[in-house]
Amino acid sequence: MGFGNILILQMVLHPIIDKIWKGKSSNRVSKIVGVVIAFIAISVGMEVSTWERNYFQILGVSRVATTKQCRDAWKVQSKVLHPDVNPSPEAAQMFLQLGKIKEDIDTDDKRRVYDRFGERFFSDRDHQVYLTQPASMAFVHLPYYVSTVLLTYLITFDKARQKARTWAFLLLAAMLFCEVMCKYSDEDYDILLFLAPQQTVYEKFEVLKLVAVYIIHLMATYAQKTYVDIDEIRFMHVRAGQEIIIGALAQLENDLEEVLRKKRKGAEVADGGVPAVTSAKDGKEMQRRQKIIAMKQRAMQPTADMVPQQQQGTNWLQVIFTLLMIYSWMSGGK
């Protein structure tokens, strides 16, 4: 995923989703999904617009065309673009490209490799090794999936988003399975052939990989917005119970003081207004108060242990990720 798409996600898409979610609309989820689909369509359109036409589009044939059909199409294009027939510079350049096309996909095996791994496969210095040892191509898939796993960990580092991590990993596992089946199996599992017959399997998976990053961000946002902190709820219930108990103990203490006050007043009246010696009674009163204080302290004790812990560290991880994206963009990585 390019640096521009990261900026779109962080600077544009997330604020729009937050604004929609904070609104009072009853169909917030459908609106958010619609916004994400619109951004995906724009991003895919911008990405595809930067691609050059593939060999099948140039020849005007389907990606499942036979060798004979490709050769016939090549002959027709060669006659139209031959310098003796069409002297324009663009035609001369296209005629030279036709020669490269014939060299790259003149056999079924080469055409299958081009369809599944793209034109840059043939520019790789190790492409001959890949042709004889297809298993060595496994390393070609590592950069995207490793970087996407790291991205998933970063955007689901927050406790509220951790639920989306499982969804994202299942999505990536399904994508990897489909990619391996489509690119390495002898059978053709391209279910999107009827939608884009001239687009190669390689191009379709490049689009799916771009869409997957948006879907993972949508999953993380949905998990965050619908997150319910059970620990926080449990803490609030315990705290409410503590407040009830403390209130009851305070009322008990007030009632006890009122009873003792009345007893002392009655004793004074019985002795003719002379205060009686109440050292024993005062000692018992002090013990009762101490017991009430101890009960209050025991009631407050679980609160400190049950306070939900706030997770730290998200900010610096996001800073590191942003710096890596900036470095990748400046170094020309896609």
Side-chain angles (χ1 to χ4, degrees), residues 20-204:
I20 294 175
W21 190 264
K22 292 177 181 178
K24 298 181 180 180
S25 177
S26 59
N27 55 346
R28 294 177 298 178
V29 176
S30 59
K31 287 184 177 180
I32 290 174
V33 172
V35 170
V36 173
I37 291 176
F39 272 85
I40 289 175
I42 293 173
S43 297
V44 170
M46 293 173 60
E47 180 73 15
V48 173
S49 65
T50 62
W51 296 352
E52 295 182 358
R53 292 197 304 164
N54 62 47
Y55 291 169
F56 302 112
Q57 290 174 321
I58 294 174
L59 294 177
V61 297
S62 170
R63 51 163 289 273
V64 294
T66 62
T67 302
K68 182 179 184 304
Q69 290 174 331
C70 291
R71 288 177 178 173
D72 292 342
W74 179 84
K75 290 179 181 178
V76 172
Q77 294 290 339
S78 297
K79 291 180 181 179
V80 174
L81 298 174
H82 195 278
D84 294 340
V85 178
N86 193 337
S88 67
E90 294 80 6
Q93 185 177 0
M94 289 292 297
F95 184 79
L96 294 176
Q97 189 175 12
L98 285 174
K100 186 176 186 304
I101 291 174
K102 183 179 180 180
E103 181 182 354
D104 288 347
I105 61 172
D106 61 346
T107 64
D108 291 340
D109 291 337
K110 286 185 177 181
R111 189 169 63 255
R112 186 181 300 112
V113 169
Y114 172 79
D115 175 39
R116 299 181 179 187
F117 300 103
E119 182 180 358
R120 65 179 183 179
F121 170 84
F122 294 98
S123 61
D124 194 317
R125 61 181 182 180
D126 296 325
H127 75 275
Q128 293 295 340
V129 178
Y130 295 150
L131 289 173
T132 57
Q133 300 177 6
S136 60
M137 282 290 292
F139 293 99
V140 175
H141 309 295
L142 288 179
Y144 170 79
Y145 287 99
V146 170
S147 61
T148 308
V149 167
L150 293 177
L151 172 64
T152 302
Y153 266 107
L154 289 173
I155 65 177
T156 59
F157 186 79
D158 187 10
K159 184 179 179 180
R161 296 185 174 190
Q162 286 183 357
K163 187 177 180 180
R165 187 179 300 171
T166 303
W167 307 338
F169 287 164
L170 289 175
L171 174 64
L172 292 175
M175 279 189 55
L176 179 60
F177 175 78
C178 293
E179 186 171 8
V180 170
M181 292 298 295
C182 288
K183 290 187 176 182
Y184 295 97
S185 176
D186 293 334
E187 301 294 332
D188 192 347
Y189 293 103
D190 183 12
I191 61 176
L192 300 178
L193 178 62
F194 68 98
L195 290 177
Q198 292 183 334
Q199 299 297 327
T200 63
V201 171
Y202 170 79
E203 291 173 336
K204 291 172 183 175

